[in-house]
Amino acid sequence: MEKNAKIYVAGHRGLVGSAIWNNLLQKGYTNLIGKSHHELDLMDSVAVRAFFDAEQPEYVILAAAHVGGIMANNTYRADFIYKNLQIQQNVIGESFRHNVKKLLFLGSTCIYPRDAHQPIKETELLTAPLEQTNEPYAIAKIAGLKMCESFNLQYGTNYIAVMPTNLYGPHDNFDLERSHVLPAMIRKIHLAHCLKEGNWEAVLKDLNLRPVEGVNGQYSQEEILHILKKYGISENGVELWGTGTPLREFLWSEEMADASVFIMEQVDFKDARSHINIGTGKEISIKALAELIMKTVGYTGKLTFDSSKPDGTMRKLTDPSKLHALGWHHRIEIEEGVQRMYEWYLK
């Protein structure tokens, strides 16, 4: 990509989009376009077409999506399939109509079967049933991946789908109802630590920044303690969903961004032949992750698991050997990442 090429980053304020945006700027790209959801609703096909007509981007990075953790995925099933299909349909369709030179589509490793062979190679796609709790989201992402592949095969376009493992990092979502596992755990353990230390001021500050179900620091102490207890946070300890035994792989979002820009610069569909996993190839149990966060926060309270709640997939480790062969490796390990994440959260 030329340094002055017009690059549209859809979802440039999100966890991955903001990291990709910053990575492009650091690498000297000067002509980036981003629109907030308020400025451009990607579910509105007329608005998306008008945007492409006006801007004529040369490159597109589709990092916009409707995302959430296990609770949100299981509860808002229709939202996850409908909204993601709409966004993809509009952005990929207009990219084709406007002769975009290259497009990067961001999926997720939840596209793979629940019982996929581990570590998961790209060839595991569509070999067995999906994990039930996030099936609508996974189906939407598979549709996006196959849409890119189909345009490439029929029309010779250069659209590449990448499947990142679990991501975490700056600008993550810490909403207790809708966030992913790692940021939710950091916040829960931080709040439990504040309660244990009797640091009520820190609890109020946290809730004023990020209200929980509308409850902020202006509410009574009783109301605040009641809503925190609903999410397993109390003066006595932290309770997390499931058994703590599932294994998860985590990748720092800024490294995901670096891999994405590397692929935009160096890799074509003919090199990749299909989608590409982006991961570390390393895993940690939910219990060990919780203990690492406790150590990072300095929390010495009690940790319990509610085994009546679902675990989700028991193991989900990517095989990133295709990406390694193309020339990219991760550098930030989970211990350093959790430390950085907590420091960012406190700021």
Side-chain angles (χ1 to χ4, degrees):
M1 294 188 294
E2 309 75 29
K3 293 294 189 233
N4 65 346
K6 190 177 268 196
I7 306 168
Y8 169 44
V9 183
H12 75 294
R13 288 189 174 173
L15 172 66
V16 186
S18 62
I20 289 174
W21 183 277
N22 291 336
N23 190 285
L24 286 164
L25 289 177
Q26 284 160 15
K27 289 184 174 150
Y29 291 95
T30 57
N31 197 0
L32 308 184
I33 327 163
K35 294 282 182 190
S36 67
H37 177 69
H38 179 70
E39 293 170 304
L40 175 63
D41 179 0
L42 294 177
M43 288 180 63
D44 181 339
S45 58
V46 176
V48 175
R49 179 168 291 197
F51 164 76
F52 271 81
D53 285 345
E55 295 290 351
Q56 300 287 334
E58 293 170 76
Y59 298 92
V60 171
I61 296 172
L62 179 44
H66 184 71
V67 297
I70 184 171
M71 194 193 235
N73 266 283
N74 204 19
T75 310
Y76 308 108
R77 298 177 76 85
D79 292 354
F80 277 86
I81 192 163
Y82 175 67
K83 291 184 178 182
N84 285 303
L85 284 173
Q86 285 281 90
I87 291 166
Q88 294 159 199
Q89 173 84 357
N90 292 335
V91 175
I92 297 170
E94 292 308 325
S95 295
F96 176 69
R97 282 190 198 95
H98 291 81
N99 298 311
V100 161
K101 291 177 186 172
K102 193 169 186 178
L103 176 142
L104 190 77
F105 171 72
L106 275 75
S108 156
T109 50
C110 74
I111 63 163
Y112 293 114
R114 182 192 166 95
D115 301 317
H117 294 289
Q118 307 280 336
I120 307 169
K121 290 185 182 292
E122 286 86 354
T123 48
E124 285 292 300
L125 181 66
L126 298 175
T127 55
L130 298 162
E131 158 62 33
Q132 229 285 321
T133 49
N134 61 12
E135 186 186 64
Y137 178 72
I139 286 174
K141 287 295 176 185
I142 292 168
L145 178 166
K146 287 295 178 187
M147 195 170 172
C148 290
E149 187 183 276
S150 301
F151 270 108
N152 294 337
L153 296 173
Q154 185 176 343
Y155 293 108
T157 49
N158 197 9
Y159 302 165
I160 301 183
V162 293
M163 301 299 134
T165 189
N166 299 301
L167 300 172
Y168 69 108
H171 305 287
D172 215 330
N173 173 13
F174 291 87
D175 178 326
L176 292 178
E177 190 189 6
R178 293 168 185 261
S179 70
H180 286 115
V181 61
L182 195 149
M185 279 162 65
I186 284 181
R187 187 176 184 193
K188 284 180 179 184
I189 290 165
H190 167 72
L191 284 167
H193 179 60
C194 295
L195 291 175
K196 188 173 186 290
E197 300 283 298
N199 187 350
W200 196 246
E201 196 181 317
V203 174
L204 298 182
K205 182 188 168 191
D206 186 278
L207 288 175
N208 278 328
L209 271 172
R210 301 177 176 92
V212 179
E213 290 188 25
V215 174
N216 60 24
Q218 312 306 311
Y219 281 66
S220 71
Q221 188 167 335
E222 189 186 352
E223 286 168 312
I224 289 170
L225 290 172
H226 177 74
I227 194 71
L228 293 182
K229 192 159 178 27
K230 181 182 169 181
Y231 289 95
I233 306 157
S234 71
E235 290 153 321
N236 307 322
V238 179
E239 184 180 75
L240 301 174
W241 272 36
T243 60
T245 53
L247 293 160
R248 288 290 178 271
E249 172 187 23
F250 294 98
L251 178 68
W252 184 247
S253 61
E254 290 172 333
E255 292 213 287
M256 165 62 196
D258 194 63
S260 299
V261 175
F262 169 83
I263 288 166
M264 284 296 279
E265 291 177 331
Q266 308 281 349
V267 182
D268 291 323
F269 178 72
K270 64 175 171 21
D271 311 315
R273 295 181 309 284
S274 67
H275 59 288
I276 304 170
N277 288 338
I278 300 183
T280 64
K282 299 181 179 184
E283 59 194 344
I284 184 172
S285 75
I286 295 295
K287 184 172 188 286
L289 177 64
E291 287 165 351
L292 172 63
I293 293 169
M294 286 168 73
K295 188 176 151 195
T296 305
V297 171
Y299 178 59
T300 55
K302 199 170 147 204
L303 173 69
T304 55
F305 286 89
D306 179 359
S307 58
S308 72
K309 296 285 196 293
D311 269 325
T313 309
M314 288 311 289
R315 189 177 181 220
K316 201 168 70 169
L317 179 66
T318 62
D319 179 344
S321 52
K322 184 194 247 188
L323 183 59
H324 291 170
L326 291 165
W328 189 90
H329 287 255
H330 83 284
R331 288 182 298 277
I332 295 169
E333 303 299 351
I334 189 73
E335 296 78 9
E336 183 189 342
V338 165
Q339 183 67 46
R340 284 191 189 196
M341 181 83 157
Y342 188 52
E343 284 167 10
W344 186 89
Y345 182 75
L346 291 179
K347 277 183 199 159

